[in-house]
Amino acid sequence: MDTSSVFDSKDSSCKTPYGAVPCGTEVHFTLRPPRSEGFCSCTLVAVHEFANQRQEILLPFLPDEGDRSVFSGTFQAPAEPELVWYYFQFRHFDGGTVCLGRDGLSREEPRRLWQQTVYDASLPTPKWFGQGVTYQIFPDRFRRTGTPSVEGLVGSRVLHQSWDEPVELNEDQGDDQGRDFFGGTLAGIEEKLEYLKNLGVTTLYLCPIFEAESNHRYNTADYEAVDPLLGTEADFRSLCARAHALGMRVMLDGVFNHTGSNSRYFNANGFYPDPGAAQSRESPYFSWYTFQSWPDKYDAWWGVRTLPAVNEEHPEYGNFIVEGERSVIRRWLRAGADAWRLDVADELPDEFIARIRAAMAEEKPDSFLLGEVWEDGSNKVAYDRRRKYLLGSETHGLMNYPFRTAALSYLLGRSEDASPYGAEDFREAMETIRENYPRPAFYSAMNLLGTHDTPRILTLLGGPETPPATRRERAAFRLSPEARVRGLRRVRMAALLLYAFPGSPTVFYGDEAGMEGWEDPMNRGTFPWGREDRELQAHFLRLGTLRRQRPSLQSGELRWLYAEGPLLAFARELEGETSTAVFNTGTSPVCLELPWDAPFANDVLTGGKFPSVDGKLFVAVPPEHGMLLI
């Protein structure tokens, strides 16, 4: 028996409303098994994970529909946020039972259940983030102004004299040094705000800017000071003020699970004048950390000794980061920040994240909280605990790494395990996220193709299926002219997919300029000012303009039109405006038929024009090509 014809959670004839629901919502279920199965009753079995409750609801028998029996009833979502896992139990006239779960029919309780996310909708999600375009900047590598110096700064820093030198290839990955600096500044970012505005950028996401001994600055040394190599707090305030004047907001990176070992709080090397936790048990910061044997053995992020972990639940740490009148969260919002991104959100307690959200709402009601989560954040289990990121009181949205995984697999035609991957697989992956996430979170996801933690998108889409074996080989790798042409063609498709999909399209600095590079640190080169790929830049600029001009691309409903093999088509619809994205990742041209209620369709990327006939549009899509039809 085809169980999808009995119940499909994504089909409105089987379940309404679609996907996640606010607390207290009535959810209607209808199942249509073949009458020949002889089922006399159907029970919805709902398991409430956080409340640890099991609920059974009998679905009434309705008049048959042809050769189908019909069972239909209502489930009342709980009054508190919850993850509800459900399946169905059919009873035969002879008294036997059979269960229906996501893995089909079985005599036993199914192993794979459907998920019903129930969230608190009373706490609003700011709309500005998901509607706009985000640009991620690694501050040391974007733009340098003045004559930088590392004299007297924390850490053993090395300064590159030339902006165009290659990054230092650190073979000692265990110690996570990142000692080479190029001297990018906040003033340099401000200098290029007009460039970013022309790209359509509405949110600047800055990797950490606080004082730290490494170029990535994820080992914070002082949460209350801008790293002197980047500038001053006055420079940050100036950057925010200018960004706001240009219609842009600023997101800061908050690293609150650990500090640097050479921070003023731990102070392992004694750089700071006041004693840190590694120097004295009397230090005011001693209780922030967990020592097995002071001062040499302590909890650290993933065992990295330069990143001692903090106890987020300690009252004094919580007051310093979150609740205090001059807490880190509050003071930088006052200085001009509009959002925080939580680094390694999986490592932060749910209660700590909720407290950050509450402090932000109190300090700046329209501020936005984003979490770094690499998987489906609606059902993530971290350290044996089911997380509550998206149930209403914690993050507004998450980094959408599942989008990146599915997009790359679709564009390359193969999944991470090298099995074939087509448009139908991309659609299924994204429908799973759309079904599981609360609508505000789905439309506020940070969609991305690359970050400081991943290889450059051009290298992935143009390079070999198997990367060079050693780090030195990968550091020296450059795409051949032929491979670069192929990669650029695919990046243009990827960018269209990114900008057309619900959520905030996020560009890692320099991807629009054609930068290459495998993993860290090769993906963190300096922006190639004056050596950009102008054609690719123009493509991103056009997409940014379209995203800004067309409300349907900002917040329109998603409607899938076609998804099979290399061909994908979906529409974004809002108040009578429709934008339709079409893709062909194959190596041959294909003619695609689409429903169309206008005389013509215009491809706003190339200027191509296609007539419709009798409500149908026939579009010839070239190989490895994307279109945006209006």
Side-chain angles (χ1 to χ4, degrees):
M1 180 174 60
D2 177 13
T3 55
S4 65
S5 66
V6 178
F7 178 77
D8 181 352
S9 63
K10 299 178 178 67
D11 187 337
S12 60
S13 70
C14 298
K15 177 180 177 288
T16 57
Y18 177 92
V21 298
C23 296
T25 301
E26 288 189 345
V27 184
H28 303 280
F29 292 92
T30 301
L31 289 85
R32 298 175 175 85
R35 193 169 62 237
S36 59
E37 291 290 332
F39 297 141
C40 64
S41 71
C42 177
T43 300
L44 167 67
V45 181
V47 180
H48 300 233
E49 178 160 345
F50 300 121
N52 193 25
Q53 294 177 351
R54 178 186 174 95
Q55 185 180 9
E56 296 188 0
I57 301 170
L58 186 66
L59 304 182
F61 206 149
L62 299 186
D64 292 346
E65 294 180 1
D67 62 352
R68 296 277 174 169
S69 300
V70 181
F71 301 91
S72 187
T74 299
F75 165 75
Q76 181 84 35
E80 297 296 327
E82 185 60 271
L83 269 190
V84 179
W85 303 95
Y86 66 92
Y87 67 96
F88 304 95
Q89 187 178 74
F90 292 105
R91 184 175 296 277
H92 290 280
F93 284 102
D94 62 8
T97 60
V98 63
C99 296
L100 175 64
R102 291 184 60 193
D103 45 3
L105 285 169
S106 67
R107 296 291 179 185
E108 307 295 330
E109 183 173 313
R111 287 174 294 179
R112 297 181 64 229
L113 311 184
W114 283 280
Q115 174 182 328
Q116 178 62 66
T117 305
V118 180
Y119 65 98
D120 182 356
S122 66
L123 302 173
T125 294
K127 294 181 179 179
W128 58 264
F129 179 76
Q131 293 177 351
V133 175
T134 303
Y135 192 87
Q136 180 188 358
I137 292 177
F138 195 82
D140 184 61
R141 309 291 162 83
F142 184 66
R143 179 72 172 176
R144 182 164 73 182
T145 56
T147 304
S149 172
V150 296
E151 193 74 26
L153 302 184
V154 64
S156 303
R157 307 194 195 193
V158 176
L159 183 66
H160 290 269
Q161 296 306 306
S162 169
W163 186 253
D164 298 326
E165 291 176 18
V167 297
E168 180 183 272
L169 185 63
N170 179 19
E171 297 287 359
D172 181 14
Q173 290 300 292
D175 205 24
D176 191 29
Q177 291 299 318
R179 293 176 178 173
D180 65 320
F181 288 77
F182 285 84
T185 61
L186 297 181
I189 298 172
E190 183 174 349
E191 188 179 273
K192 289 297 182 179
L193 286 181
E194 289 286 353
Y195 164 76
L196 297 174
K197 180 175 176 60
N198 288 337
L199 277 178
V201 173
T202 56
T203 301
L204 301 180
Y205 158 36
L206 306 180
C207 289
I209 65 168
F210 304 123
E211 185 170 0
E213 66 173 337
S214 69
N215 54 43
H216 54 73
R217 299 187 173 95
Y218 282 96
N219 50 353
T220 311
D222 189 342
Y223 289 105
E224 298 182 288
V226 170
D227 191 273
L229 197 56
L230 282 175
T232 64
E233 183 172 331
D235 292 327
F236 176 73
R237 290 176 177 269
S238 176
L239 170 62
C240 291
R242 180 59 179 155
H244 293 160
L246 292 173
M248 287 181 268
R249 291 177 167 89
V250 177
M251 174 183 287
L252 289 178
D253 213 330
V255 187
F256 302 134
N257 164 261
H258 51 267
T259 67
S261 57
N262 293 326
S263 64
R264 66 168 59 253
Y265 318 107
F266 202 80
N267 210 14
N269 288 354
F271 175 83
Y272 293 94
D274 297 326
Q279 296 169 301
S280 171
R281 295 174 184 266
E282 304 304 316
S283 167
Y285 311 116
F286 178 79
S287 58
W288 288 12
Y289 303 91
T290 301
F291 290 90
Q292 287 79 47
S293 176
W294 183 83
D296 299 321
K297 294 183 179 180
Y298 46 85
D299 287 353
W301 181 77
W302 286 36
V304 179
R305 287 179 52 79
T306 56
L307 301 176
V310 298
N311 177 9
E312 299 93 345
E313 296 173 336
H314 192 281
E316 291 181 11
Y317 182 75
N319 188 64
F320 175 72
I321 296 291
V322 186
E323 277 92 10
E325 176 61 23
R326 286 184 54 79
S327 71
V328 173
I329 292 294
R330 295 178 187 274
R331 67 163 292 172
W332 292 106
L333 289 176
R334 291 172 189 159
D338 306 280
W340 282 97
R341 178 257 192 192
L342 297 180
D343 182 59
V344 294
D346 290 346
E347 317 281 340
L348 301 173
D350 284 301
E351 297 78 7
F352 185 74
I353 298 175
R355 287 158 54 200
I356 291 176
R357 165 95 171 246
M360 292 175 64
E362 183 180 290
E363 189 66 43
K364 184 176 283 191
D366 201 34
S367 59
F368 189 88
L369 183 61
L370 182 86
E372 180 199 12
V373 177
W374 286 59
E375 301 85 7
D376 181 336
S378 71
N379 54 35
K380 178 67 185 289
V381 175
Y383 298 96
D384 298 322
R385 292 186 62 185
R386 186 79 70 180
R387 304 308 302 269
K388 302 179 180 179
Y389 306 121
L390 299 179
L391 296 186
S393 63
E394 298 186 26
T395 59
H396 294 106
L398 301 175
M399 299 181 76
N400 198 354
Y401 278 99
F403 170 86
R404 175 182 179 272
T405 300
L408 283 173
S409 296
Y410 165 58
L411 291 162
L412 293 170
R414 62 179 186 272
S415 64
E416 291 179 318
D417 64 3
S419 58
Y421 197 100
E424 62 275 21
D425 300 302
F426 174 81
R427 179 184 61 186
E428 180 61 25
M430 292 300 93
E431 278 298 281
T432 297
I433 295 294
R434 187 163 79 106
E435 184 178 21
N436 289 349
Y437 280 30
R439 178 186 169 85
F442 180 74
Y443 278 84
S444 295
M446 175 186 270
N447 296 340
L448 48 92
L449 297 170
T451 69
H452 63 291
D453 287 325
T454 68
R456 288 279 176 178
I457 184 65
L458 178 55
T459 298
L460 288 176
L461 293 181
E465 184 172 340
T466 303
T470 69
R471 282 173 57 80
R472 291 206 172 276
E473 288 173 332
R474 293 194 294 276
F477 178 86
R478 295 295 182 274
L479 294 172
S480 68
E482 296 79 13
R484 188 172 172 89
V485 168
R486 180 180 65 239
L488 287 169
R489 190 165 58 241
R490 290 173 172 173
V491 169
R492 286 192 289 272
M493 273 196 302
L496 173 57
L497 182 59
L498 180 71
Y499 277 72
F501 206 75
S504 177
T506 301
V507 178
F508 184 42
Y509 81 101
D511 276 351
E512 82 283 8
M515 289 181 66
E516 298 181 29
W518 292 106
E519 79 279 9
D520 165 30
M522 290 83 83
N523 60 348
R524 301 176 183 180
T526 55
F527 193 100
W529 298 109
R531 295 177 286 106
E532 304 96 324
D533 186 302
R534 299 295 185 182
E535 185 178 341
L536 186 62
Q537 250 182 342
H539 182 69
F540 274 86
L541 189 149
R542 179 62 175 147
L543 290 173
T545 299
L546 289 166
R547 179 86 182 200
R548 183 174 60 244
Q549 292 176 343
R550 297 188 65 77
S552 58
L553 291 178
Q554 297 172 23
S555 53
E557 291 291 332
L558 172 66
R559 182 163 63 93
W560 301 99
L561 301 176
Y562 193 90
E564 185 175 337
L567 282 178
L568 174 68
F570 61 84
R572 300 287 306 282
E573 300 169 331
L574 182 70
E575 297 176 353
E577 179 185 279
T578 301
S579 302
T580 300
V582 178
F583 304 87
N584 175 16
T585 61
T587 56
S588 302
V590 181
C591 185
L592 181 63
E593 177 186 325
L594 296 173
W596 204 262
D597 59 3
F600 292 94
N602 296 305
D603 178 8
V604 290
L605 296 177
T606 65
K609 194 172 185 178
F610 306 92
S612 67
V613 179
D614 298 329
K616 295 180 180 179
L617 187 70
F618 297 90
V619 183
V621 191
E624 295 190 324
H625 188 77
M627 299 177 175
L628 188 63
L629 305 176
I630 67 170

